[in-house]
Amino acid sequence: MAQNMIEGEKKVFVTGNEVVAWAAIAAGADIMYGYPITPQNEIMHYWTRLAPRAGKKFLQTEDELSAGFTTIGGVLAGRRAFTATAGPGNTLMQEPVSMAEMMRLPMVIIIQQRGGPSTATVIYSQQELNLTCYGGNGEGLRIVYSTSSHQDLFDYTIKAFNTAWKYRFPTFVLGDGYQAKMREGLTIYDLKARGIELVPTEPILGQPGTPGVDRPPSHIRNTYNTEEELYEVIMSTAKNYETIAPEIIEYDEQNIEDAEIILVAHGVVSRAAYGAMLQLREQGYKVGYFRPITLRPFPTQQLYARAKQAQKLLVVESALGQLARTVRDAIYGCTTPVETLLKPGMGVISEELVERVVQIYAGGAVNDD
């Protein structure tokens, strides 16, 4: 019934938060658990408007910890459950996400990044990359999609549900305050119109029948008694993650083959990087563009191969080097220099990047034969 709310394909002009709610409906989400925090509040608001029409549910919890753990409860019951948060709420969400990582539970979490640390601003940043990709304790494993547009928010929110339930890892959609609040055109669609099939859900606990008689027993654990037990589980999960990573990794690259300088950016900042690349190409500069879509697993091999061909990487982000650190780790062993344009909590425009690249060329750091 949920998919029937969107028939075929339709052009719309809406905010990013509204996009997420529509995408969750299209993806067949059963219930959202959430707690208010700017700039994701309207995801909750729009969901509560749409959900009753689709026969779906919503529960406002007492805080983000509760939202995360109730989402886990929904998943254990076989529901396509999700939550959304930002900033300090993302910090609190890491405890339930860690449990989901340990227990291999397919919860879906939408993050609309805001400025930090702490309360900071409620507007925008890309300062939650580290937290979203590597938050929690231990060697947790998760999947993180970084979106750059409203179309991305729609497409990857849908994909997040399928990815989570197919691979059984918690899956994030990493947006930001700009995407959350601004209006932009996109195409929403019924999954059938695109030939997309939903990965089915099933109860992880509470299945019918007698355990050990009618079906194998369910044994879902997040605590272990010995070092050897924990080691075996972690290594098995890590091996499984490494095996499936090539199926999950996504990235976009443009004008990369002859690029002397490669602009590397993710999320909404990648739009400025793409625009700058086009302007610079028109001016005769050999500049390429690389955008990681999955921040975890990261397109390490792909970026390494491109970095070896280039004379310089220029990493641009609305953070104080969180993407840059990830990039340097990815290309470790490659001698191509990495420069940065870092503006934590600030927007980035293409003109800034054009000016920076022209300065690099003028400084003789790149061969301009």
Side-chain angles (χ1 to χ4, degrees), residues 124 178 263 269 272-273 275-277 279-280 314 316-318 340-344 346-360:
Y124 158 78
Y178 283 171
L263 303 179
V269 174
M277 179 269 296
Q279 292 180 50
L280 288 159
L314 177 56
V316 55
E317 56 182 308
S318 179
T340 58
L341 179 59
L342 310 177
K343 297 185 66 178
M346 296 286 290
V348 180
I349 59 176
S350 59
E351 286 76 10
E352 294 175 277
L353 280 168
V354 170
E355 181 181 358
R356 180 62 176 274
V357 171
V358 171
Q359 289 173 349
I360 291 173

Side-chain angles (χ1 to χ4, degrees), residues 14 48 56 68 81 93 130 141 146 155 159 171 174 204 214 243-244 253 261 265 276 308-309 318-319 327 329 334:
V14 292
T48 56
K56 306 303 181 181
M93 197 68 71
N130 286 346
L141 295 164
S146 173
D155 296 343
K159 177 170 275 191
T171 302
L174 186 64
I204 296 171
D214 305 308
T243 299
I244 65 174
E253 58 181 14
I261 296 178
K308 286 181 64 178
Q309 299 172 1
S318 179
V327 167
D329 284 347
C334 176

Side-chain angles (χ1 to χ4, degrees), residues 14-326:
V14 292
T15 69
N17 282 337
E18 190 171 3
V19 169
V20 171
W22 276 108
I25 289 290
D30 295 306
I31 185 168
M32 177 184 183
Y33 303 92
Y35 183 78
I37 188 169
T38 306
Q40 74 80 29
N41 284 333
E42 291 82 8
I43 296 176
M44 297 168 52
H45 298 165
Y46 289 125
W47 175 258
T48 56
R49 296 177 191 176
L50 296 174
R53 294 161 53 188
K56 306 303 181 181
K57 298 183 181 298
F58 171 76
L59 177 65
Q60 180 173 322
T61 59
E62 62 184 359
D63 53 29
E64 288 85 359
L65 281 168
S66 300
F69 284 118
T70 50
T71 302
I72 285 176
V75 167
L76 288 170
R79 300 293 185 265
R80 204 178 297 267
F82 76 106
T83 187
T85 190
N90 194 3
T91 303
L92 291 172
M93 197 68 71
Q94 295 309 312
E95 184 175 354
V97 171
S98 293
M99 176 181 280
E101 288 176 314
M102 187 76 258
M103 299 167 69
R104 295 286 300 273
L105 300 179
M107 67 185 298
V108 171
I109 311 98
I110 314 297
I111 304 295
Q112 299 288 33
Q113 297 170 94
R114 56 187 273 174
S118 189
T119 303
T121 70
V122 299
I123 304 169
Y124 158 78
S125 80
Q126 293 187 315
Q127 294 172 283
E128 297 179 49
L129 184 154
N130 286 346
L131 178 63
T132 305
C133 290
Y134 303 104
N137 63 308
E139 278 73 45
L141 295 164
R142 57 186 67 180
I143 296 161
V144 180
Y145 292 111
S146 173
T147 60
S148 68
S149 66
H150 285 22
Q151 193 65 61
D152 274 357
L153 278 172
F154 191 80
D155 296 343
Y156 284 101
T157 297
I158 292 170
K159 177 170 275 191
F161 284 97
N162 270 355
T163 300
W165 281 92
K166 179 179 180 179
Y167 297 108
R168 300 298 175 94
F169 285 100
T171 302
F172 287 83
V173 177
L174 186 64
D176 60 71
Y178 283 171
Q179 294 179 64
K181 299 295 187 177
M182 72 179 182
R183 292 184 180 272
E184 182 172 80
L186 76 150
T187 300
I188 62 174
Y189 49 83
D190 175 6
L191 272 59
K192 293 180 181 178
R194 297 289 180 93
I196 300 172
E197 295 185 4
L198 289 174
V199 174
T201 65
E202 60 180 1
I204 296 171
L205 293 179
Q207 296 179 7
T210 303
V213 179
D214 305 308
R215 59 173 175 82
S218 298
H219 193 197
I220 311 298
R221 297 174 66 182
N222 72 316
T223 182
Y224 293 88
N225 298 324
T226 69
E227 295 93 334
E228 290 78 10
E229 282 184 299
L230 179 60
Y231 173 81
E232 183 178 341
V233 171
I234 289 174
M235 297 305 291
S236 175
T237 302
K239 183 177 181 180
N240 179 235
Y241 188 86
E242 183 179 346
T243 299
I244 65 174
E247 302 174 20
I248 299 169
I249 287 170
E250 293 189 46
Y251 62 97
D252 182 28
E253 58 181 14
Q254 302 291 331
N255 289 327
I256 208 84
E257 295 295 339
D258 67 341
E260 296 168 339
I261 296 178
I262 299 176
L263 303 179
V264 183
H266 80 98
V268 75
V269 174
S270 67
R271 295 165 69 149
Y274 183 80
M277 179 269 296
L278 294 178
Q279 292 180 50
L280 288 159
R281 281 279 169 174
E282 290 178 358
Q283 297 174 26
Y285 296 101
K286 293 180 179 180
V287 175
Y289 160 91
F290 189 96
R291 172 199 165 201
I293 297 174
T294 47
L295 297 179
R296 195 171 188 202
F298 194 79
T300 298
Q301 294 179 359
Q302 294 83 355
L303 182 57
Y304 185 92
R306 295 314 189 191
K308 286 181 64 178
Q309 299 172 1
Q311 297 181 35
K312 190 179 290 289
L313 300 187
L314 177 56
V315 179
V316 55
E317 56 182 308
S318 179
L320 200 59
Q322 296 191 24
L323 176 62
R325 285 191 290 272
T326 304

